[in-house]
Amino acid sequence: MEANSNSAVPLCTPYKLGRFELTHRIVFPALTRNRSQNNTPQPHVTEYYSQRATNGGLIISEAAAASDISKEYVDYPSLPPPLAQIKIVFMCPNLPGIWNEEQVEAWKPVVKGVHEKGGVFFCQIWHSGRLSVPTISALFFSIGVGWSTRFDGIEINASSGGYLIDEFMNDQVHGRTDEYDESIEDRCRLALEIVEAVANEIGADKIGIKLSPFDGKKDSNSEALATYMANELSKLGVLYLHVMEPREIANKSLLPIRKAFKGTLIASGGFGKSDGDKAIDENYADLISFGRMFLANPDLPKRFEVNAPLNKYNRSTFYTNDPIIGYTDYPSLEVAS
């Protein structure tokens, strides 16, 4: 569905995402925030997502670990910077999970808060792959339990070099010598098997998947890999494909994927309002996700609509454990005025 070229703000035009009627094209994506003590969402998490929910707006949760081992990072003392810094950030019990009943119950008020604002809420699920303990757990065994939280859908995290699914797909890092090795078809097999398994549980029309084929340690043929995945995901009827692209090639790298994928395409990669508007107006993507900008501006769609000034984000508070500072204390337009 193309944007109305007559609209002054293309990002604020409506869009039909499968069964969901979105009122704008601005997506709040999964962002690691480190505020779920004991891997369980707390009341401040409910407030955080509710603040950023809008009627007909799509929100994707912070990545929720699919099992009690998928959240862990192995302690490699010899890791050089910046990997050592990343390890320190994530080796903690404050990443959310969705593998047990306590966590499921804790997610319910979070989902309710978003739904009460009229928002559409997808849960991103991940496994940290080679950055975790060296085993392949049942990545999505928690789907049956987690679905009882009544999220509107699932986003499968197959992005970011090093996480399990991306590790299998990328020929520069996976190093396998079995049926998941060598050809693009073999390397994409696990990702597609997971998508199909989840689709059998909840339906492909409730599934999104996130890829970052051009980021990090790239595959030897990133475009071919991404295009193959886009074609295969189309065959499976996946609702949306969420693709991260490096800022230096933004508004260029997704063109082959756009042609190959028949569902909704969400673009991510350091977009601002002007280039986001351009991407929608030129049909480069259907929706645009804004991470740090949305983090610091809980009413970002409204600010874009009225061309209001934006709060600046504080990078030093991205991954702290404080339930308020840098989390729920960014002011809305009403508070700021």
Side-chain angles (χ1 to χ4, degrees):
M1 179 177 178
E2 297 187 16
N4 180 356
S5 59
N6 295 321
S7 172
V9 186
L11 283 167
C12 295
T13 56
Y15 180 79
K16 185 172 177 57
L17 176 65
R19 69 182 67 189
F20 307 109
E21 299 286 347
L22 304 185
T23 59
H24 57 79
R25 314 292 188 103
I26 303 159
V27 178
F28 183 45
L31 296 172
T32 298
R33 300 311 316 274
N34 245 26
R35 264 77 170 188
S36 294
Q37 282 69 29
N38 298 316
N39 307 122
T40 305
Q42 306 296 313
H44 51 264
V45 177
T46 299
E47 181 180 0
Y48 171 76
Y49 283 106
S50 179
Q51 287 176 337
R52 288 153 184 79
T54 57
N55 185 33
L58 175 61
I59 288 182
I60 303 163
S61 79
E62 175 177 1
S67 74
D68 60 351
I69 64 171
S70 66
K71 66 179 174 63
E72 300 290 348
Y73 279 64
V74 177
D75 187 4
Y76 293 114
S78 61
L79 278 178
L83 292 181
Q85 296 172 354
I86 294 173
K87 171 181 68 67
I88 291 171
V89 166
F90 287 100
M91 284 195 66
C92 67
N94 299 314
L95 301 178
I98 197 166
W99 71 80
N100 64 39
E101 292 292 345
E102 180 184 1
Q103 293 161 343
V104 169
E105 289 301 313
W107 275 111
K108 287 181 179 179
V110 184
V111 175
K112 182 181 179 182
V114 171
H115 284 167
E116 286 178 343
K117 299 282 285 288
V120 178
F121 202 9
F122 273 52
C123 178
Q124 188 189 88
I125 298 184
W126 75 317
H127 189 295
S128 55
R130 71 180 187 275
L131 298 179
S132 178
V133 293
T135 184
I136 300 175
S137 69
L139 180 61
F140 287 99
F141 78 87
S142 62
I143 286 293
V145 175
W147 197 245
S148 66
T149 60
R150 298 300 182 262
F151 280 101
D152 297 299
I154 296 289
E155 180 177 276
I156 298 168
N157 188 355
S159 69
S160 302
Y163 299 159
L164 184 66
I165 302 174
D166 179 78
E167 179 182 351
F168 269 70
M169 291 191 293
N170 190 325
D171 65 4
Q172 301 300 297
V173 297
H174 78 324
R176 302 187 67 85
T177 57
D178 55 14
E179 67 270 27
Y180 295 96
D181 189 22
E182 296 184 357
S183 69
I184 287 178
E185 293 81 2
D186 288 342
R187 287 183 278 117
C188 291
R189 180 177 297 153
L190 177 66
L192 297 171
E193 287 176 346
I194 290 171
V195 171
E196 190 168 7
V198 178
N200 289 338
E201 291 290 329
I202 67 173
D205 62 337
K206 299 185 185 72
I207 296 175
I209 184 169
K210 189 171 188 178
L211 304 175
S212 56
F214 308 106
D215 202 11
K217 191 170 184 179
K218 301 177 181 65
D219 185 84
S220 61
N221 194 340
S222 298
E223 183 174 314
L225 176 71
T227 303
Y228 175 78
M229 279 294 293
N231 276 307
E232 295 303 305
L233 292 167
S234 291
K235 294 176 185 177
L236 292 174
V238 167
L239 178 63
Y240 72 76
L241 177 55
H242 189 177
V243 185
M244 297 174 61
E245 55 180 342
R247 297 173 194 173
E248 62 269 18
I249 57 173
N251 291 335
K252 295 179 182 178
S253 60
L254 301 192
L255 293 175
I257 300 174
R258 182 62 158 162
K259 293 178 181 178
F261 186 62
K262 306 307 179 186
T264 291
L265 181 64
I266 305 176
S268 175
F271 283 89
K273 180 183 181 298
S274 60
D275 50 0
D277 278 334
K278 181 180 179 182
I280 297 299
D281 197 47
E282 296 180 354
N283 200 32
Y284 180 72
D286 299 302
L287 307 171
I288 308 292
S289 66
F290 296 86
R292 290 168 293 182
M293 195 176 290
F294 214 147
L295 177 157
N297 296 272
D299 53 353
L300 186 65
K302 181 64 176 179
R303 289 176 186 259
F304 279 178
E305 181 184 2
V306 301
N307 200 30
L310 301 178
N311 301 322
K312 294 181 180 180
Y313 58 80
N314 181 354
R315 189 185 298 271
S316 69
T317 63
F318 282 179
Y319 309 115
T320 61
N321 305 140
D322 195 291
I324 298 175
I325 298 174
Y327 194 58
T328 59
D329 63 342
Y330 285 106
S332 63
L333 283 173
E334 290 78 7
V335 173
S337 61

